[in-house]
Amino acid sequence: MKFRKMFGTAMATVLASALLLAGCGGNGGNTEPGNANAGAGAATNAPKEIVELKAYLPGDKPVGFDEVLQAVNDKLKTDNVGASLNINFLPWSDYGNTVAVKMSAGEDFDMYLDAPWLSMNQMIASNSLQTLDAMVEERPELKASIPDEMWEYNKFGGKIMGIPLGTTQGSVYGLLIRKDLREKYGLPELKTLADLEKFLYAVKENEKDIKPFVINGIKADKLPFILSDSANMAQDEVLEIGVNMFAYSTKDKKVVGQWESPMIADAFERVTKFYKDGILSKNIAQEQNAETLFKQGKYAATYYAADGVEGLKYAEMLKDGSDKLEVFVPNGDKAKPYTAFQQWNFLCIPASSKHADLAMDVANWLSIKENHDLMEYGIPGKDWEPVGDTSYKVLSGYVFPGYTLTWRPTLNRTPDTMMADDKKWFDFSADPANFTLSPTAGFTFDAEKVKTEYAKITPFHDSLFLPLAQGVLPADKGKAMLEEKIMGVGGQKVIDEIQAQIDAVVSGK
């Protein structure tokens, strides 16, 4: 499940929704020397001096956080880790700049959230971060709580520069549809895009007060990945390389613009047709209320991603005990998507920290089921209660931003309100075995050498690529305009740089 600032001002809302996730699992009780592990054995050792570790995380402080943090620190003391946490939340609006200033000023703190879309590449280039490889190897709970693929393909220059934080291993997109309407029309379960088209056009023809499909305009750049016959299947090309509007062809091993990718050409044609035929709202470019409109029953389908976040937005529609929603994933029975196992958030330790080993001990301690659940969900019986081994029931308003500190794929718990279809696909996305390794795995684009040209290209995502993906710009016209505009401001230079960086990653394997 990926969390990037590319969602702009919507990011804080999306990330806040994501906090309904977290995890269950871990080994627990290991008391090997040199590791901070929970268990009775640790508590019987001579009490360690407690060192306060300072952390900076983005966003607002969660409701009830002070009480939970006190419980966490009490347990750290009981488990004789030798540390307490002092977590400071900074507003998203200036988080990146504030942390960068603190780093450059040499402020003494011990951990913080960074990412390639923040300042991580610059921090690495200036030797401002600790290298974590050896420390990870010495901490078995931490190492085991994150799949090997995540460790391997989220390195920077071949080194672990931050703990990768994520819950899913690749992207699986689809639609959430009204199952009751599908059954009303006598249609079988949707498996292909042809099935989807029959459903959407049946809604258009038969329903007076329900329209076919709603999606927020800003998310429409996912439609080429949903409405392609090769969606969610490892065919022809890798769709996403973490660089907006560009792709990597596995046929000729070349970087291409997504607008010229043969793999998703059918999707651009389909979205043009959907817009023209009124399957997509004529207001799609300005649409910001898709979630509300779908909940109100005004639409028969909306956007879905198997990230443990998107589907949960609609759980309240099933409070009446009905079974009126289902997930459609194109070619779901054949799904084997490419993935680079890339994550977008990292827990980093400044090079200036005097307590790097202790900070990693705490990260290891948070990779044990009981401790992870305490920070992620809050105080048992007050903030939450377990439902089996992999689910939980919310009891309070405590919502911790797990993407900043505690996300561990093997420790996932899901809310007991999650619909069965959503859980099925979220569990699918969390398992590395369900994906095909991208040949570009390990690549993270550094635009430094082409920053001038890249800065000129970036605005075309919103001004041209989004309208093309929304159907507002017809496929033939939109593709031609993108080609002309992007190449006219140095696009080939950017493509060549992306190509060189990917070639370096591929040749090193």
Side-chain angles (χ1 to χ4, degrees), residues 17-24 308 312 373 376-378 383-396 398-400 411-418 423:
S17 301
L19 309 180
L20 293 173
L21 292 181
C24 156
L312 285 173
D373 287 357
E376 184 85 32
Y377 310 119
D383 298 309
W384 71 287
E385 63 184 30
V387 178
D389 292 330
T390 61
S391 188
Y392 71 102
K393 180 178 182 179
V394 175
L395 300 179
S396 76
Y398 177 74
V399 181
F400 182 75
L411 304 182
N412 287 332
R413 282 186 187 270
T414 53
D416 62 346
T417 56
M418 181 178 266
K423 181 168 175 54

Side-chain angles (χ1 to χ4, degrees), residues 175-194:
L175 300 183
L176 185 64
I177 74 160
R178 286 279 299 275
K179 178 183 177 182
D180 56 335
L181 293 178
R182 174 181 66 76
E183 292 177 337
K184 175 181 176 181
Y185 309 138
L187 296 174
E189 181 182 355
L190 309 186
K191 293 186 177 296
T192 68
L193 287 174

Side-chain angles (χ1 to χ4, degrees), residues 155-383:
K155 293 180 179 179
F156 295 77
K159 298 177 181 179
I160 298 173
M161 302 305 298
I163 297 171
L165 301 168
T167 56
T168 57
Q169 302 306 305
S171 300
V172 176
Y173 304 112
L175 300 183
L176 185 64
I177 74 160
R178 286 279 299 275
K179 178 183 177 182
D180 56 335
L181 293 178
R182 174 181 66 76
E183 292 177 337
K184 175 181 176 181
Y185 309 138
L187 296 174
E189 181 182 355
L190 309 186
K191 293 186 177 296
T192 68
L193 287 174
D195 296 337
L196 174 66
E197 288 195 17
K198 288 180 183 177
F199 171 72
L200 294 176
Y201 280 88
V203 172
K204 183 175 184 255
E205 293 168 8
N206 293 290
E207 298 295 332
K208 184 171 66 173
D209 299 320
I210 302 176
K211 297 177 182 178
F213 180 29
V214 66
I215 184 172
N216 284 339
I218 197 170
K219 290 184 178 179
D221 59 356
K222 299 303 179 194
L223 289 180
F225 311 144
I226 298 172
L227 299 178
S228 168
D229 286 323
S230 53
N232 294 318
M233 298 169 65
Q235 295 182 356
D236 294 332
E237 292 187 13
V238 179
L239 291 184
E240 294 181 288
I241 54 174
V243 186
N244 277 345
M245 302 184 289
F246 294 97
Y248 180 78
S249 168
T250 59
K251 277 187 172 181
D252 54 17
K253 299 179 174 55
K254 296 295 183 183
V255 175
V256 296
Q258 287 178 10
W259 63 91
E260 59 179 339
S261 165
M263 181 178 184
I264 54 177
D266 64 310
F268 288 115
E269 297 294 339
R270 185 172 280 111
V271 78
T272 296
K273 180 175 183 289
F274 280 4
Y275 182 79
K276 179 181 177 182
D277 291 351
I279 298 300
L280 289 167
S281 168
K282 297 298 182 184
N283 190 45
I284 185 174
Q286 291 78 39
E287 187 59 71
Q288 300 179 33
N289 299 306
E291 177 184 339
T292 299
L293 292 170
F294 186 75
K295 286 180 181 179
Q296 291 173 344
K298 296 180 179 179
Y299 282 85
T302 192
Y303 167 80
Y304 172 79
D307 55 12
V309 178
E310 201 67 31
L312 285 173
K313 297 176 181 178
Y314 307 97
E316 66 188 67
M317 295 177 70
L318 305 180
K319 284 183 179 179
D320 58 4
S322 67
D323 184 29
K324 62 173 172 272
L325 301 180
E326 65 184 3
V327 171
F328 163 68
V329 172
N331 307 305
D333 54 341
K334 306 172 188 174
K336 190 73 174 176
Y338 274 122
T339 185
F341 296 104
Q342 195 168 28
Q343 304 299 321
W344 294 101
N345 299 294
F346 295 81
L347 183 66
C348 297
I349 299 178
S352 59
S353 170
K354 300 180 178 65
H355 313 295
D357 272 295
L358 192 55
M360 289 296 285
D361 284 344
V362 171
N364 189 70
W365 182 86
L366 286 169
S367 303
I368 296 167
K369 177 179 178 179
E370 181 182 2
N371 307 327
H372 168 275
D373 287 357
L374 178 60
M375 178 65 88
E376 184 85 32
Y377 310 119
I379 300 169
K382 176 183 179 295
D383 298 309

